[in-house]
C-alpha cells in the first residue's frame, strides 16, 4: 500500500513526480512537462514506467508526454473532461473515480480554478495537485473563478493533515514573500518562510509540504471566504 515518491525538476521551476507502488513496482510520472529530465531519471532509477498521470492541460505539465510514453510504453491518465485537449488518454478520470497504480489507490478530486478540467490524485500518503495548491500559494485563476478555487482548496484541505502535498512548481520562496504581507503575524508562516529561504540558498526543493503545514501558513487555504480569497488572489497577481 505504500508508495515511494521523488521529485524530478523540469524546465525552470516545474516538478514532475516519480511514483512507485512498493507492493508491485508499478511506476508512474506525474506531469512530465519536459522529456529529457524524466527520461534521464527513469533510466537511472531503472524502474520502467507504466503510467503518466496528468493534472491539467498546460504545456509545462504535458510537453514531455509523447516522448516519455513512447520510450517506456507508458499509458496516460487524465481528466475525462479535458480529454479533447490532453494527449490521448488510456484512463479518462472523473471526480470520485479510483485510479489504481498497482496496489496503491488514488482518489480523483476535481480541482477547477486554475483550469476548468484540473484534477488532483489523492493517494493515502501523497496528493498530486498540479497548479491548484502550491506551498504558501495557489494557482492563478486562468479559466476559473475564486468560488471554484475556494472549493478546490477546501477539498484538498479536507485531506488528512499528514498528506504530503506534491505540487507542480517551486514557487514557495516568492509565495512566502507575498504571504507575509497578508499574515505578517502568523508564527507558522514566519517559521516556514525562514525554513524556505534556508532551503533555497542551498538549492533544496521546498516541497513536498503537508496539508497541516499549508492549513497553518498558506493564506489562500486560510482565506475563509470566497470574497477574501478573490481579494488575496488579485493582490498576488500584481505583487512584485
Ligand atoms: Zn498550469
Ligand atoms: Fe504549471
Amino acid at each position: 500500500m505504500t508508495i515511494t515518491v521523488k521529485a524530478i525538476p523540469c524546465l525552470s521551476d516545474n516538478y514532475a513526480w516519480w511514483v512507485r507502488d512498493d507492493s508491485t513496482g508499478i511506476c508512474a510520472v506525474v506531469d512530465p512537462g519536459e522529456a529529457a529530465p524524466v527520461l534521464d531519471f527513469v533510466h537511472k532509477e531503472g524502474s520502467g514506467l507504466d503510467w503518466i498521470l496528468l493534472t491539467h492541460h498546460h504545456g509545462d505539465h504535458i510537453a514531455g508526454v509523447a516522448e516519455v510514453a513512447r520510450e517506456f510504453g507508458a499509458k496516460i491518465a487524465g481528466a475525462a473532461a479535458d480529454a479533447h485537449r490532453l494527449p490521448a488518454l488510456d484512463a479518462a478520470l472523473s471526480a470520485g473515480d479510483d485510479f489504481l497504480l498497482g496496489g496503491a489507490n488514488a482518489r480523483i478530486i476535481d480541482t477547477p480554478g486554475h483550469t476548468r478540467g484540473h484534477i488532483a490524485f489523492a493517494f493515502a500518503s501523497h496528493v498530486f495537485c498540479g497548479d491548484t495548491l502550491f506551498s504558501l500559494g495557489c494557482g492563478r485563476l486562468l479559466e476559473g473563478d475564486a468560488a471554484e478555487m475556494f472549493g478546490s482548496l477546501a477539498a484538498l484541505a479536507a485531506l488528512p493533515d499528514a498528506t504530503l502535498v506534491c505540487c507542480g512548481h517551486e514557487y514557495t520562496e516568492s509565495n512566502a514573500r507575498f504571504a507575509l504581507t497578508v499574515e505578517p503575524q502568523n508564527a507558522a508562516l514566519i517559521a516556514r518562510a525562514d525554513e524556505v529561504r534556508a532551503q533555497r540558498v542551498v538549492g533544496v526543493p521546498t516541497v513536498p509540504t503537508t496539508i497541516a503545514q499549508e492549513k497553518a501558513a498558506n493564506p489562500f487555504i486560510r482565506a475563509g471566504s470566497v470574497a477574501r480569497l478573490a481579494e488575496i488572489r488579485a493582490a498576488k497577481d500584481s505583487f512584485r
Side-chain angles (χ1 to χ4, degrees):
M1 290 277 286
T2 63
I3 57 174
T4 300
V5 174
K6 295 178 185 178
I8 308 172
C10 290
L11 303 170
S12 61
D13 56 21
N14 277 74
Y15 290 118
W17 296 92
W18 176 85
V19 187
R20 182 189 64 208
D21 168 46
D22 295 329
S23 67
T24 61
I26 298 283
C27 287
V29 164
V30 182
D31 287 355
E34 187 184 12
V38 173
L39 295 174
D40 196 52
F41 183 97
V42 174
H43 280 302
K44 282 198 179 117
E45 201 68 44
S47 63
L49 193 68
D50 302 282
W51 282 99
I52 294 169
L53 311 184
L54 302 176
T55 63
H56 68 296
H57 72 93
H58 285 154
D60 63 313
H61 298 254
I62 69 169
V65 169
E67 204 175 330
V68 171
R70 193 181 326 117
E71 176 80 5
F72 300 107
K75 295 196 282 281
I76 303 167
D82 264 359
H84 61 286
R85 54 180 180 173
L86 290 170
L89 298 177
D90 299 287
L93 304 168
S94 302
D97 284 353
D98 289 313
F99 174 81
L100 208 57
L101 182 71
N105 190 64
R107 184 165 52 87
I108 303 307
I109 304 176
D110 256 343
T111 50
H114 178 65
T115 66
R116 251 184 305 279
H118 198 298
I119 57 172
F121 294 80
F123 288 86
S125 55
H126 296 69
V127 63
F128 298 92
C129 54
D131 289 357
T132 297
L133 173 63
F134 295 123
S135 186
L136 305 180
C138 78
R140 283 175 184 265
L141 302 178
L142 298 178
E143 298 176 4
D145 59 19
E148 287 172 318
M149 181 58 82
F150 186 84
S152 297
L153 294 176
L156 295 171
L159 294 171
D161 276 350
T163 308
L164 290 160
V165 177
C166 300
C167 56
H169 290 271
E170 181 57 65
Y171 286 163
T172 318
E173 191 171 20
S174 63
N175 285 344
R177 281 192 290 109
F178 173 76
L180 284 166
T181 68
V182 180
E183 291 195 64
Q185 315 289 352
N186 180 330
L189 171 57
I190 293 165
R192 173 71 172 144
D194 286 343
E195 176 191 43
V196 164
R197 271 189 295 269
Q199 287 171 319
R200 294 315 293 160
V201 166
V202 291
V204 172
T206 63
V207 292
T209 172
T210 64
I211 291 293
Q213 171 75 75
E214 296 311 308
K215 288 197 298 195
N218 182 326
F220 296 90
I221 224 171
R222 293 166 58 77
S225 70
V226 172
R228 181 62 180 148
L229 176 60
E231 195 177 0
I232 300 171
R233 186 58 261 179
K236 175 70 162 69
D237 287 344
S238 56
F239 181 75
R240 290 290 171 268

